[in-house]
């Protein structure tokens, strides 16, 4: 039963990570491509991490929660890298000022 | 300034550090509780110079509520963006939006910019030098004014209440 749940979260996570990557390949310009990795991937990683929490907590070694930190750090860093890439692109196009 | 204030200039930050430490070592053994507490006291003191304009959190409960709303919205954002990515790309209307900022605290602006990047179809891309306008790229805009109003109402107002209300 628990294995089914873990597998379900893995599939959901994998699916969203895949969709994020498809977005990266499919969308026509750089700014639109930024949207895939900043969002679809967060839920992708989230799903896989929930599966990891469930799996390692059910092995009897006590609750395993340090996966939550991965989510936290991802939420902190993903917008910053997106911002850097967008800034660099604006700079290259020559319109620095919004 | 009381002794308590000098030892713990940022109590919430300290609590957060302790939590992060316990999560990192993935145990609540007494030894790590002590070590984590020491780190939680030492780190804010050592790094206090990096926080010239220290954000003051006026209402922690509103912050928790904000985080809950944010997590929910990130879930929704993923579904929205997944739909947009898999749908026909020709029909998307990408656009740049200028969001006039009312927030003044640097930290609050950073939180707002990150929030915008994590929520449906928008990525913050530039902040004007005078910190008054945030440039946002949106994947699919139907009405610019609605998007701005949503961001202001849903994220900026709570952030103002959390960080700036007196």
């Amino acid at each position: 039963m628990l294995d089914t749940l873990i597998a379900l979260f893995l599939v959901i996570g994998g699916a969203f990570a895949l969709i994020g990557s498809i977005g990266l390949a499919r969308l026509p310009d750089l700014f639109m491509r930024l949207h895939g990795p900043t969002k679809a991937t967060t839920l992708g990683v989230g799903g896989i991490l929930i599966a990891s929490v469930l799996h390692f907590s059910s092995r009897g070694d006590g609750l395993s929660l340090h996966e939550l930190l991965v989510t936290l750090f991802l939420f902190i860093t993903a917008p910053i890298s997106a911002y850097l890439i967008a800034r660099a692109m604006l700079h290259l196009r020559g319109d620095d000022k919004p | 300034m009381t002794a308590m204030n000098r030892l713990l200039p940022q109590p919430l930050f300290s609590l957060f550090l302790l939590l992060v430490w316990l999560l990192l070592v993935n145990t609540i053994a007494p030894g790590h509780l002590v070590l984590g507490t020491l780190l939680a006291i030492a780190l804010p003191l050592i790094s206090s110079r990096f926080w010239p304009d220290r954000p003051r959190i006026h209402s922690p409960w509103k912050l928790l509520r904000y985080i809950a709303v944010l997590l929910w919205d990130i879930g929704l954002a993923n579904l929205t963006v997944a739909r947009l990515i898999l749908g026909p790309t020709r029909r998307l209307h990408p656009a740049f939006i200028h969001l006039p900022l009312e927030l003044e605290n640097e930290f609050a602006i950073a939180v707002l910019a990150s929030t915008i990047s994590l929520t449906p179809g928008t990525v913050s891309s530039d902040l004007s030098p005078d910190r008054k306008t945030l440039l946002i790229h949106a994947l699919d805009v139907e009405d610019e004014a609605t998007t701005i109003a949503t961001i202001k109402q849903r994220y900026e107002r709570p952030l103002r209440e959390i960080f700036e209300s007196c």
Side-chain angles (χ1 to χ4, degrees), chain A residues 26 35 39-40 65-66 96, chain B residues 23 26 78 85 87 119 126 137:
Chain A
R26 192 160 173 246
H35 291 277
K39 297 183 201 73
L65 288 177
H66 59 340
D96 274 23
Chain B
L23 284 172
N26 212 12
N78 278 279
I85 286 174
T119 47
D126 203 1
H137 184 267

Side-chain angles (χ1 to χ4, degrees), chain B residues 26-163:
Chain B
N26 212 12
T27 161
I28 41 169
H32 278 296
L33 270 174
V34 173
L35 187 55
T37 309
L38 286 180
L39 285 172
I41 293 172
L43 289 177
L45 291 178
I46 295 170
S47 67
S48 64
R49 283 210 208 164
F50 291 104
W51 301 87
D53 179 25
R54 176 188 308 156
R56 295 204 176 278
I57 293 170
H58 295 277
S59 66
W61 294 116
K62 279 194 179 142
L63 183 63
L64 283 182
R65 201 173 149 250
Y66 183 79
I67 293 173
V69 169
L70 183 57
L71 285 177
W72 174 251
D73 284 358
I74 288 173
L76 281 185
N78 278 279
L79 294 176
T80 316
V81 171
R83 193 168 45 80
L84 291 177
I85 286 174
L86 296 178
T89 48
R90 290 245 180 78
R91 255 191 271 150
L92 297 177
H93 304 286
F96 280 104
I97 300 175
H98 294 273
L99 178 78
L101 283 174
E102 285 166 58
L103 289 168
E104 279 160 11
N105 182 286
E106 275 179 29
F107 186 77
I109 293 176
V111 173
L112 180 68
S114 302
T115 304
I116 287 170
S117 290
L118 287 171
T119 47
T122 45
V123 171
S124 42
S125 1
D126 203 1
L127 180 64
S128 66
D130 61 0
R131 303 211 184 97
K132 293 254 161 58
T133 323
L134 193 63
L135 181 68
I136 299 168
H137 184 267
L139 189 53
D140 189 26
V141 195
E142 274 167 27
D143 180 24
E144 211 173 292
T146 326
T147 313
I148 292 179
T150 315
I151 293 174
K152 279 196 160 298
Q153 199 259 331
R154 201 167 171 83
Y155 308 117
E156 193 179 15
R157 192 140 52 94
L159 280 176
R160 284 191 71 179
E161 285 169 10
I162 293 165
F163 291 108

